[in-house]
Amino acid sequence: MIMPASIDAKSYYQASAHPFPPQPSLKGDLTADVCVIGAGFTGLSAALELAEAGYKVVVLEAREVGYGASGRNGGQICTGFSPGQQRIEAQLGKEDAVKCFAIAEEAKKLITDRIDKYKIDCDLQWGYLHAIPKPSQFDDLREWKDEWDALGYTDTQVLSKSQLEERLGTRIYHGALREGGAGHFHPLNYCLGLARAAIAAGVRIFENSAVLDVDQGPMVTARTAQGSVRAKFLIIGCNAYIGRLMPELYGRIMPVTSYIIATEPLGENRARSLIRNNDAVANTNFIVDYFRVTQDTRLLFGGRASYSTLEPPNLGAYMRPRMLSVFPDLKDVKIDHAWGGYIAITSNRIPDCGRLGTNIYYAHGYSGQGVALAGMYGKLMAECVKGQSERFDLLTRVRHLPFPGGPIRTPLLVAAMLFYRIRDALK
Ligand SMILES: Cc1cc2nc3c(=O)[nH]c(=O)nc-3n(C[C@H](O)[C@H](O)[C@H](O)COP(=O)(O)OP(=O)(O)OC[C@H]3O[C@@H](n4cnc5c(N)ncnc54)[C@H](O)[C@@H]3O)c2cc1C
């Protein structure tokens, strides 16, 4: 995959990451019980679970730990699945959709449990606002709350415009659903914490070790430029960064770029005047604006997804007007960091997971909600290796339409994006 320049620009997260020792690159041939490709939330979560259960695990990472979306996302820990419960229910029926929601709830708990267990210092903060850009969307918030109440998730509150404005220093929204059970953290420091825990549990991580091809069979071999890993099981955690490594998976997901800017530190008072309780915030548009304040009082503002591979020449200048449309008073504020990354979407925005043969597992396409879900899908793949596949099998029953390949792939998505932009504007 061709990476546009700013995709590699140094992010706020890299600038504030806790030290993590570089891992060697793979040289020579190894054997393992399980080979994992990709050192993001999915891969590291699976590796950690398996090593703690006594498996010999090797992780191969093309760049460095957290290089992909896990080290560069908005840090927003979300509830449920991106398209909401109804789309899952339409496919799996009510009872199984409820089980899926329970899995998504466990995904958030998994983060808290691991932060506690491995003492991961990553600025975890609970509280989340879903803000509506149009007054006509107020009924949607009530329906959303009712849906979650019925699922037993009751830590939510519908806020009127005036109640929201007591919490948020902008007047552009018309109300919000506030959740106490979603929140935000420093994703790269969480990812590095997972890697540290995995290494302590015996996982060998190799960085700068891109897997170039995979031989399938009763034993799987993953080959890099200078070595190979032969294993009984292979777990693929490459998400949007997979390129064409596994032809069977191409077309199941589509990479979409999302960009984030981080302001200079604003100071405690100014930061609190934007988001009083330090909640994470997202609007309810299809093309989402998401923002939050970091521990050192910067505003992190993300959004403006792009389905084309064209990269704006100056990301900071490109994103700034969006931020000012929400917080016009920040005109004088400097942008210290601007970066982007790839989100993997599926056609129905429900994650896609499954098996290739009997011993290769994959999970991807979290559609912008992978901060919590990716770790959980990694854990579920580990459960499969351990012989308990019930929960993973449930999720594999979700059907996905493949994206087209060839020359119409990108133009089709650009057109789809335009459609949603217009719909967001008209709604
Ligand atoms: C800008 C941005 C903002 C986002 N904001 C949010 C948010 O606020 N909330 C939310 O829930 N989700 C968000 N997401 C999505 C979320 O970050 C992802 O869903 C999640 O991190 C996916 O984790 P992963 O481990 O599956 O993939 P990744 O973290 O992308 O890891 C995949 C890894 O695989 C490696 N790899 C790929 N191919 C190979 C190969 N051939 N050999 C070896 N290694 C390989 C890559 O180098 C990469 O490190 C955002 C994503 C982006 C890009």
Side-chain angles (χ1 to χ4, degrees):
M1 184 186 297
I2 299 163
M3 301 286 173
S6 74
I7 296 292
D8 271 339
K10 191 167 180 176
S11 70
Y12 159 72
Y13 300 128
Q14 287 169 302
S16 54
H18 297 318
F20 180 78
Q23 301 301 302
S25 71
L26 180 68
K27 294 198 170 68
D29 303 322
L30 295 180
T31 55
D33 295 320
V34 186
C35 176
V36 174
I37 313 180
F41 296 150
T42 303
L44 291 171
S45 171
L48 174 57
E49 287 288 319
L50 287 165
E52 289 193 333
Y55 289 81
K56 189 174 159 194
V57 185
V58 171
V59 176
L60 298 174
E61 165 53 51
R63 301 289 289 260
E64 63 269 2
V65 169
Y67 170 80
S70 300
R72 53 178 79 225
N73 59 64
Q76 307 216 350
I77 302 166
C78 304
T79 299
F81 294 85
S82 185
Q85 219 21 41
Q86 278 172 6
R87 206 173 287 175
I88 298 186
E89 203 175 304
Q91 287 217 24
L92 302 185
K94 193 163 182 84
E95 204 178 309
D96 283 341
V98 170
K99 288 184 192 158
C100 292
F101 189 78
I103 289 172
E105 280 297 276
E106 191 178 324
K108 295 185 293 179
K109 185 170 177 302
L110 187 61
I111 290 178
T112 331
D113 289 350
R114 284 177 168 164
I115 288 174
D116 289 347
K117 181 169 177 189
Y118 306 112
K119 313 252 171 305
I120 302 175
D121 177 8
C122 59
D123 313 333
L124 177 66
Q125 172 80 38
W126 293 109
Y128 200 111
L129 291 164
H130 302 270
I132 47 168
K134 306 264 161 56
S136 58
Q137 294 165 323
F138 207 77
D139 288 345
D140 299 348
L141 296 180
R142 291 219 178 83
E143 277 173 30
W144 202 354
K145 178 172 171 44
D146 290 347
E147 179 178 282
W148 278 348
D149 280 351
L151 288 159
Y153 176 51
T154 54
D155 190 0
T156 58
Q157 189 189 354
V158 174
L159 302 177
S160 66
K161 183 168 171 57
S162 61
Q163 285 171 320
L164 178 62
E165 286 170 8
E166 282 164 22
R167 292 169 177 266
L168 212 53
T170 175
R171 312 204 66 184
I172 70 164
Y173 299 120
H174 295 268
L177 184 67
R178 181 175 191 273
E179 294 185 62
H184 60 99
F185 67 176
H186 187 304
L188 180 56
N189 279 335
Y190 177 70
C191 194
L192 296 175
L194 280 187
R196 235 176 262 117
I199 291 167
V203 174
R204 296 181 71 186
I205 300 178
F206 294 94
E207 294 181 317
N208 300 305
S209 303
V211 175
L212 304 175
D213 60 70
V214 170
D215 281 348
Q216 302 186 28
M219 289 293 281
V220 186
T221 304
R223 229 169 265 108
T224 67
Q226 296 183 72
S228 69
V229 179
R230 205 171 124 76
K232 291 180 207 136
F233 296 95
L234 180 72
I235 289 179
I236 300 171
C238 300
N239 207 38
Y241 290 78
I242 193 164
R244 297 201 180 226
L245 176 64
M246 305 299 290
E248 300 93 326
L249 301 184
Y250 185 74
R252 299 194 70 85
I253 52 167
M254 182 83 189
V256 173
T257 18
S258 184
Y259 306 114
I260 305 182
I261 49 178
T263 66
E264 62 185 320
L266 301 174
E268 204 58 45
N269 288 344
R270 198 168 186 191
R272 290 299 150 252
S273 75
L274 304 180
I275 308 175
R276 232 127 289 162
N277 297 338
N278 200 14
D279 289 347
V281 188
N283 71 13
T284 55
N285 279 342
F286 184 86
I287 297 157
V288 185
D289 284 337
Y290 50 94
F291 47 93
R292 66 189 185 89
V293 168
T294 61
Q295 206 208 18
D296 62 352
T297 73
R298 298 165 193 273
L299 180 72
L300 236 70
F301 193 98
R304 286 220 143 168
S306 160
Y307 286 45
S308 84
T309 47
L310 298 175
E311 167 90 1
N314 180 342
L315 257 192
Y318 176 72
M319 288 296 294
R320 194 181 163 83
R322 278 267 10 116
M323 178 185 82
L324 293 180
S325 73
V326 180
F327 296 118
D329 291 351
L330 295 184
K331 270 202 267 327
D332 61 316
V333 164
K334 217 167 99 248
I335 305 298
D336 276 353
H337 302 275
W339 69 97
Y342 295 113
I343 291 173
I345 57 161
T346 61
S347 53
N348 60 13
R349 298 198 292 135
I350 305 168
D352 175 43
C353 63
R355 295 176 179 76
L356 303 175
T358 53
N359 55 358
I360 301 180
Y361 297 94
Y362 67 88
H364 57 190
Y366 308 107
S367 303
Q369 281 202 199
V371 161
L373 291 175
M376 192 62 202
Y377 276 71
K379 180 178 168 167
L380 295 182
M381 288 191 282
E383 284 180 4
C384 291
V385 170
K386 291 190 256 175
Q388 302 138 11
S389 63
E390 196 186 316
R391 299 200 295 170
F392 188 74
D393 288 343
L394 166 66
L395 295 166
T396 62
R397 282 180 34 222
V398 175
R399 294 176 308 279
H400 301 271
L401 283 177
F403 289 104
I408 61 160
R409 183 170 158 96
T410 299
L412 202 79
L413 269 134
V414 172
M417 179 77 163
L418 187 64
F419 166 78
Y420 285 116
R421 253 194 235 285
I422 293 168
R423 202 186 65 168
D424 283 345
L426 295 179
K427 235 180 348 190

